[in-house]
Amino acid sequence: MAAAAHEIGTSSRATGEVVLEARNLRKNFGGIKAVDDVSFELRNGEILGMVGDNGAGKSTLIKIITGAYQKDSGEILLGGQPTEINSTGHARELGLETVYQSSGLVEVMDAPANLFLGREKLKEGWLGKYFGMIDKRFMRRETDNLLKTLNITVRNLAAPVQTLSGGQQQSVAVGRAAYWRGKIIILDEPANNIGVDQQRAVLELVRQIRDQHDIPFIMISHNMEHIFQVADRIIVMRNGKKVGDKRVADTSRNEVVGLITGALA
Amino acid sequence: MSAAAPAPDERGGFLANLRNYHPDTGLLISSIAMLVVLIVVFSFTSERFFSQAVVVNILNQTSIYIIAGVGMTLVLTSGGIDISIGSVIGLTATIMGLLMIDHGMPAMVAILVALLVGALCGAFNGFLVAIVKVPPIIVTLGTLTFFRGLAYLLGEGRVFMRFPDPLPWIGDGRVLGLPIPVYIAVLTVIGGHFFLTSTRMGQRITAVGGNEEAARLAGIDVVRTKFFTYVIMGVLTGLTTVVIVGRQDAAQAVFGFGIELHVIAAVILGGTSLFGGRGLILGTVLGALILGVLNTGLLLSGVVQFWQLVALGILLIAVVAFRMAREGTESK
Amino acid sequence: MQAAIDRPDAKGKNLAAYWRQWSGDYPNFTSLATTALLLIALVIIFYLINERFLSWRNVVIILNQGAAYIILGVGMTFVITTKGIDLSIGATVALSGTVVGLILVTWKMPLVLAIPAGLAAGAACGAFNGYCVARFRVPPLIVTLGTMALFRGLSYVLLGHQILFGFPDEFLWLARGRILGIAPSVYLAFIIAIWGWYFLNYTRTGQEIIAVGGNEEAARLAGIDTNRIKFITYTIMGVLAAVGGMVWLARVNSVQAAIAYGVEFHTIALVVLGGTSLFGGRGLVMGSLMGALILAILENGLVIVGLGSFVQQVLIGLIFITVVAFRTLQFREGQVTR
């Protein structure tokens, strides 16, 4: 059953070329197989949902891919090249942008400062070269453009982001990942802790970024509604193993829930 | 120092059993080992180290750190800090002087007033920390200046002397060859240990320091608990003042200057967590003894007095850095 | 951040709601404005009590007194912005001052040697603090409580109870010379304040200092080397403590191991007066500049009014507690409404 699903998942109907491939990943924590021989691939322009109960291994899997944990064995291929991901910083350099469910933004700083956090733009010419002066006007203009193209309305760009709603803050975080031309954007429970209307806006944003920029997403969520709203394909994790890999068009909520709980395994 | 920390023993030896019995045992053992090492070293560098006068002197000095240290242990356990205690001592001492010397108030009444003044100072700190929710370091940095200023203002630079009985006896009297302050310290420690480990309020202080949010959700009145902790600190600071004034048979506004450093150092050396949630009253006793032995030992070994400050600073940072590193590896 | 409620848009609301929104959007401006108002009010009050307060002579004295506070305040603004604290700056002033004093007075060596040596001593003190905070993750409060004893102790070891005085004239020029009627140290202080303002707001490192204090986890996830930032911040504090110390030495023309005792309180007080947030992530160098002037004005004005130094201490302590309580309440209100 799982094997069949896998074949469907990788059928030629997937949109672009393979950007990320995980082969036989394993990770043990003191005898517990947190990730047990998991393989999957991610294609350009695809939104891949990842579901599973608490402790099913999805967050460990994601942490391996974003460099927070080191795998015990297996292989990760980026754009066809075998790649060792040493740290979260390294993952970012490789074009893997992660959006966390919280603590991704510095709340007391304004949106432009957050968009360029850790990657501030220096002024052209001697001011930037000799005095290390950052180009606030440029950062502000870029932020303004980005938010406009993504239809995020922020009342006042110069205000600390803590004056924004939770949904707007999360939109800025997702927008940031898109702005930096992430090759792959990973969303960890992106619509938790925010209002229902705003959840929809954030998911809409995800779809829009995919459509505009052809960037693939991996999205972890507990919320089946969210997954079915935006994902093209769903990976189901259970007890550290991948038990399902289905195109959304070919499956149903009931089937996915069955895979999660083990009723269908 | 590193030798003092018992390595996790997988075979289940004696130390491991002790640690399983009580998780704080390792910290207490490391403090005891540090103390023993210091005593052994100083017994080589100075012949007089074990003379009765020296031992009594160490105990005397230590008892002051211990009385205030019990209060400081509670404050640190609640996740706070109080660096104003030196100024509270100065203010309380000045008020005691005014009452007894200028107004002829009987000693026992003045002692009660001293405890009350301490409690009021503590309540002031507690109000700002618990109710206004200003960070404790900032509150007590402000009251450090404020209380000391009040002390100078009231004392007008005077030195009050010749206090009525039984105050000098409290500071300097002997029972069974031991100074009275030692008995006071022992009683404070027993009371403090019982309070922290076996009473509802003690448990709440630990809970608030350990995880304030969880404590609040469990229905604990966080504000009241914190406030109360600072009041206890104040009362014990008042008690410390009584002992100091009694021993010196004098009082002036400058009393207690810089004592907060020694008291906090004693508490931290004893294993109480800087981040709250773990208080070891018995550890504080050991920490105070370590400081007392260190001070007196350096002095007897002919080391210039100023090196004491240097040694204290290095010891404090080294021990905390060591503990942080160990906690870091344990949590991984 | 978890709050799901939108801050109500104030359009068409009453003036108070509009003000709340505006002050939430521009917290820095509101803090600076209140500090400026306090400064102006103090000047007017003291002038009304005694006209001599605004005489040129007295203004020069106030600026001279304020210079060291300004310099120390800039460094402390950085430290508090990272959510740290430095209690050891008085001791750093003493230790670097001791080095300068020994070189200039005891050994009668030239200024070109003394100044770099003093700065190096300050930098070493700051770097030690920064190393312990960043590398061992010891809380700044404990590190600097320890180094407060350590640096002060070392100053005593070097100097004992001696008081060194009789600095060479070219060193004293710093505080006693006059350029256009004002001491060079005042110019130095203002230059450092302007640099500090620029550094914090317009350079990468400055922005990263704010980010580390505002949300260390987010800063780390964004690829900022938070340990490096902390190390740099405490080292700058150490260097500025040495500079402030030299200004101080030149003004009083002496140094002893007990010099600048308790100056950490005044410095932290002026930084908080200036509106820098105790909860990290918001540093107002220009606010600290005004805070330093407020402190110098209070010290000077209270003497002119005829109040002794004890009253001063009580009053400054009281003002500090009130301002901190006020700002904390403001901060918490901002958190609730966001």
Side-chain angles (χ1 to χ4, degrees), chain B residues 173-229:
Chain B
R174 300 283 162 94
V175 172
L176 301 175
L178 283 176
I180 299 289
V182 173
Y183 292 98
I184 298 179
V186 168
L187 288 178
T188 313
V189 166
I190 293 172
H193 182 75
F194 174 75
F195 174 75
L196 188 59
T197 57
S198 313
T199 68
R200 181 187 269 184
M201 197 59 177
Q203 289 300 297
R204 290 186 172 179
I205 289 173
T206 311
V208 166
N211 186 338
E212 190 172 330
E213 191 53 33
R216 184 178 296 119
L217 292 174
I220 293 175
D221 188 341
V222 173
V223 169
R224 195 168 141 255
T225 308
K226 283 189 179 176
F227 180 80
F228 190 62
T229 310

Side-chain angles (χ1 to χ4, degrees), chain C residues 203-222:
Chain C
T203 71
R204 258 185 201 169
T205 311
Q207 289 292 293
E208 296 183 357
I209 286 175
I210 298 175
V212 166
N215 186 339
E216 187 168 344
E217 181 65 10
R220 212 175 44 73
L221 291 173

Side-chain angles (χ1 to χ4, degrees), chain B residues 54-78:
Chain B
V54 170
V55 171
V56 167
N57 183 37
I58 291 177
L59 289 178
N60 251 334
Q61 197 181 12
T62 307
S63 57
I64 289 175
Y65 295 156
I66 288 177
I67 298 169
V70 169
M72 191 64 82
T73 308
L74 298 180
V75 170
L76 283 173
T77 306
S78 78

Side-chain angles (χ1 to χ4, degrees), chain B residues 176-306:
Chain B
L176 301 175
L178 283 176
I180 299 289
V182 173
Y183 292 98
I184 298 179
V186 168
L187 288 178
T188 313
V189 166
I190 293 172
H193 182 75
F194 174 75
F195 174 75
L196 188 59
T197 57
S198 313
T199 68
R200 181 187 269 184
M201 197 59 177
Q203 289 300 297
R204 290 186 172 179
I205 289 173
T206 311
V208 166
N211 186 338
E212 190 172 330
E213 191 53 33
R216 184 178 296 119
L217 292 174
I220 293 175
D221 188 341
V222 173
V223 169
R224 195 168 141 255
T225 308
K226 283 189 179 176
F227 180 80
F228 190 62
T229 310
Y230 285 88
V231 174
I232 301 177
M233 174 84 255
V235 173
L236 288 177
T237 312
L239 187 59
T240 311
T241 315
V242 171
V243 171
I244 293 176
V245 170
R247 174 169 316 145
Q248 308 273 334
D249 200 6
Q252 52 177 328
V254 75
F255 271 20
F257 199 86
I259 198 176
E260 61 277 358
L261 175 67
H262 294 85
V263 173
I264 293 170
V267 174
I268 289 172
L269 289 181
T272 293
S273 167
L274 288 168
F275 305 102
R278 187 184 68 212
L280 295 176
I281 301 274
L282 298 180
T284 300
V285 176
L286 293 171
L289 280 169
I290 290 172
L291 286 190
V293 167
L294 188 70
N295 281 346
T296 312
L298 285 177
L299 200 66
L300 287 176
S301 312
V303 175
V304 187
Q305 196 191 343
F306 306 128

Side-chain angles (χ1 to χ4, degrees), chain C residues 25-49:
Chain C
D25 283 6
Y26 301 98
N28 291 2
F29 182 85
T30 14
S31 293
L32 286 176
T34 48
T35 313
L37 283 179
L38 187 61
L39 180 62
I40 293 168
L42 274 179
V43 169
I44 293 175
I45 290 171
F46 282 124
Y47 177 72
L48 290 179
I49 294 175

Side-chain angles (χ1 to χ4, degrees), chain A residues 92 100 103-109 117-118 120 131-134 136 155-156 159-160 162-163 165-166 169 193 198, chain C residues 1-4 6 9 21 24-26 198 201-204 207-208 211 214-215 217-218 221-222 224 281 338:
Chain A
R92 249 169 40 117
Y100 304 89
S103 82
L105 301 181
V106 180
E107 295 91 336
V108 292
M109 299 177 96
L117 192 65
E120 296 83 358
F131 290 87
M133 189 171 191
I134 53 177
K136 288 203 167 178
R155 188 171 40 76
N156 181 353
Q162 67 191 9
T163 62
S165 70
Q169 290 186 25
N193 302 327
Q198 298 170 22
Chain C
M1 176 166 158
Q2 277 82 0
D6 265 294
D9 208 334
Q21 176 183 312
D25 283 6
Y26 301 98
Y198 170 81
N201 294 296
Y202 291 95
T203 71
R204 258 185 201 169
Q207 289 292 293
E208 296 183 357
N215 186 339
E217 181 65 10
L221 291 173
I224 293 171
R338 86 174 179 220

Side-chain angles (χ1 to χ4, degrees), chain C residues 161-197:
Chain C
H161 286 301
Q162 290 182 75
I163 301 176
L164 300 179
F165 50 88
F167 282 89
D169 284 342
E170 64 263 30
F171 181 74
L172 296 178
W173 175 80
L174 192 58
R176 302 190 171 186
R178 290 289 180 267
I179 301 173
L180 302 175
I182 296 171
S185 59
V186 177
Y187 291 98
L188 181 64
F190 275 82
I191 289 170
I192 288 176
I194 291 168
W195 167 79
W197 169 79

